[in-house]
Amino acid sequence: MILNHLWGLYAHPLEEWQTIDNRHESLTYSLSHIVLIALFPSVMGYYSSVYLGWSIGTGNPVFLTHDSALLIAIAMYVALIAGIFALAYLAHWMGVTFGAQPTFTQALELAAYTATPVFMSALAAFLPHLWFVVCVGMVALAYSVYLLYTGVPILMHIPEERGFIYASSVVTCGLILLVIILAVTAMLWTNGIVSPMFT
């Protein structure tokens, strides 16, 4: 089952990282997880902006047109998958510096399973109030960082001391990637390529 590690990452993360490390599924398996899990934020973003409306303060809910929301959802989906691959590439590249010799599949597993709580937090968009979604997103981000710090020593087979520095470097790269994605989004938005159309 594609999502068979999902519950374990929440219920017993250390044991689940050990299971992931022992199994080391194929690249195709990791890709399947990424392709499926990246649907959550994209689909929820589309659904909540077209059918539920976003509440941004005390005014009336804001709705997007179907075509506009669909274009933004597709762009988000592509950006999320590209971000996971970029993070996996950076984790793989940095591995040698920290005394690890990960395969790209291991780095992809680390990136994919670490990002899972953030992607799953998109379910909060069933109640599309900005403050609520941001709060859930912050909790999910904190848990993703925790998963990264616990998963690096196990998946990369390095001591915890070096794993801490390695994980911190990956977190820094992840934040830089997030800023790049937001900057590209802002540029596309201001140039009218994916600008939203409100109803």
Side-chain angles (χ1 to χ4, degrees):
M1 190 167 74
I2 290 174
L3 297 176
N4 66 345
H5 297 298
L6 191 59
W7 172 248
L9 288 172
Y10 288 103
H12 41 81
L14 288 173
E15 293 87 345
E16 199 61 35
W17 278 125
Q18 291 287 357
T19 303
I20 292 168
D21 183 52
N22 292 335
R23 289 187 186 167
H24 279 309
E25 284 96 356
S26 64
L27 182 63
T28 306
Y29 188 94
S30 297
L31 290 174
S32 302
H33 178 84
I34 295 165
V35 166
L36 184 61
I37 211 76
L39 283 173
F40 281 89
S42 305
V43 170
M44 285 307 304
Y46 168 80
Y47 180 78
S48 62
S49 60
V50 173
Y51 298 105
L52 302 177
W54 279 85
S55 297
I56 309 171
T58 57
N60 293 327
V62 176
F63 293 86
L64 296 181
T65 63
H66 162 75
D67 293 339
S68 177
L70 184 61
L71 181 61
I72 291 170
I74 292 170
M76 179 191 297
Y77 185 69
V78 171
L80 291 173
I81 292 175
I84 290 293
F85 271 93
L87 190 61
Y89 172 78
L90 290 169
H92 182 259
W93 175 72
M94 287 187 296
V96 179
T97 307
F98 291 93
Q101 294 181 330
T103 63
F104 184 74
T105 303
Q106 285 174 286
L108 192 61
E109 284 175 330
L110 180 68
Y113 290 120
T114 297
T116 296
V118 174
F119 287 7
M120 294 295 292
S121 71
L123 293 173
F126 274 121
L127 185 62
H129 295 277
L130 185 60
W131 63 269
F132 176 70
V133 174
V134 168
C135 288
V136 171
M138 293 301 288
V139 170
L141 181 61
Y143 192 71
S144 284
V145 171
Y146 167 75
L147 283 179
L148 180 66
Y149 278 100
T150 56
V152 160
I154 296 169
L155 280 186
M156 299 302 165
H157 303 156
I158 55 178
E160 286 191 19
E161 308 79 47
R162 264 186 289 159
F164 181 83
I165 300 170
Y166 184 6
S168 298
S169 301
V170 174
V171 167
T172 304
C173 290
L175 292 174
I176 292 169
L177 281 172
L178 180 61
V179 170
I180 290 170
I181 290 171
L182 291 175
V184 170
T185 302
M187 286 189 294
L188 293 174
W189 193 301
T190 54
N191 291 327
I193 297 172
V194 289
S195 58
M197 301 293 292
F198 300 98
T199 59

